[in-house]
Amino acid sequence: MTIKGSAYIAGAFEHPTRLAKDKSVAQLHAEVAVGALADAGLTKADVDGYFCAGDAPGLGPLAMADYMNLKLSHLDSTDVGGCSYIAHVAHAAEAIMAGKCRVALITLAGRPRSEGHSGAVPRIRGADAPDTQWEFPTGVATVNAYAMCAARHMHQYGTTSEQLAWIKVAASQHAQYNPHAMLRDVVTVEEVVNSPLIATPLHRLDCCVVSDGGGALVVVAPEIARSLKRPKVKVMGAGESMKGQMGGEVDLTYSAAVRSGAAAFAEAGVKPADIKYASIYDSFTITVLMQIEDLGFCEKGQGGRFVADGNLISGTGKLPFNTDGGGLCNNHPANRGGITKVIEAVRQLRGEAHPKVQVKNCDIALAHGTGGLLGSRHGGATLIMERE
């Protein structure tokens, strides 16, 4: 079974707020839902499938569907952390192909900034989770789990802090054109490497922002897409995978993207060289570098050279990435930024990105995310989309 061409992304909306002290999480979910449906030219009465993850309050889709008064024939609460919403697009396409629904709504929302949650310490549900009893007593934190990967990459491949810094520089070059971005100042490599160390070798500016807000997507059946007046963004291929501790055979040099990316490219029938724009989850600079390698944009160990000297900057670089500023500069809502990766990819494919960062002739785009801890167990989801 292949989802290639079985569904289209008809609506995409990113909440403009980055601080929502006067709104509940449920309210944010509802507001992004309204925004995405309006973008598609649909209403909530058209929705018969709903997808959300662990950021949704209450019992996930049950509570939120009731809050938004949706009439559903299909729902999905798959939760694999930050890549959940990329996986949801594929799950929605599968459900549409199986005849379970025709208009699928996907929402994400959160208030970590208002709640004072930095994301430094991962939120793990259930003290009886098999990893918790062994890892949490040692004080595992999100940033040091990623810092271990960065340190290993530097040791094994000679990657430098300056090379990692170029990822932040590229994101800042794009964020300056986004009026909603939390950090709009363009930074230099020197400013990144001279910012305070948070967890060796990662500096403050190697880390993503923490924001309130959210986003939503509307995935529809082909006949629905043809009836709408929006540019058609076709779902071409998807892949999901995970990587754990492998019974003690720990290898910090690669991520789940090795398998999820290969599956997505095979289903879409395209190669990394065909991708005109890439939305890549950027919780930290090392996250981007490793995923670029694992998705096949360069050889393993060559990521540092690939991202250096502005090669990720739209208009001049080899692989324009995260043209909204990404999690590093723009928005990382609910400490789960995967949905924003799809939203910006849709903008690029429609030709609706900011003129200063719009990729010329952008007809094939990729969105990829991770969920969990890169230095421990995590999920990976890859989505390839095409402008029809």
Side-chain angles (χ1 to χ4, degrees), residues 2-87:
T2 176
I3 63 171
K4 185 175 181 178
S6 65
Y8 291 75
I9 301 173
F13 180 80
E14 180 182 7
H15 206 293
T17 190
R18 302 295 180 263
L19 183 64
K21 290 186 176 181
D22 60 338
K23 299 179 187 291
S24 68
V25 173
Q27 185 177 354
L28 290 170
H29 272 276
E31 289 179 359
V32 296
V34 169
L37 287 166
D39 180 62
L42 297 166
T43 71
K44 72 173 186 177
D46 298 305
V47 176
D48 56 358
Y50 178 58
F51 297 70
C52 64
D55 53 281
L59 294 175
L62 300 183
M64 283 311 308
D66 188 36
Y67 179 80
M68 293 189 286
N69 195 23
L70 300 175
K71 306 298 188 293
L72 303 173
S73 59
H74 186 77
L75 48 83
D76 186 324
S77 59
T78 299
D79 190 351
V80 281
C83 62
S84 300
Y85 323 92
I86 297 173

Side-chain angles (χ1 to χ4, degrees), residues 2 8 10 66-67 75 89 102 119 150 163 193 219 262 266 295 333 343 351:
T2 176
Y8 291 75
D66 188 36
Y67 179 80
L75 48 83
V89 175
R102 298 173 75 233
Q163 289 171 333
V193 297
V219 183
L295 290 167
I343 292 169

Side-chain angles (χ1 to χ4, degrees), residues 159-179:
T159 308
T160 67
S161 291
E162 287 76 12
Q163 289 171 333
L164 287 178
W166 271 108
I167 299 169
K168 175 72 170 193
V169 170
S172 74
Q173 287 283 342
H174 298 151
Q176 67 178 311
Y177 304 112
N178 183 351

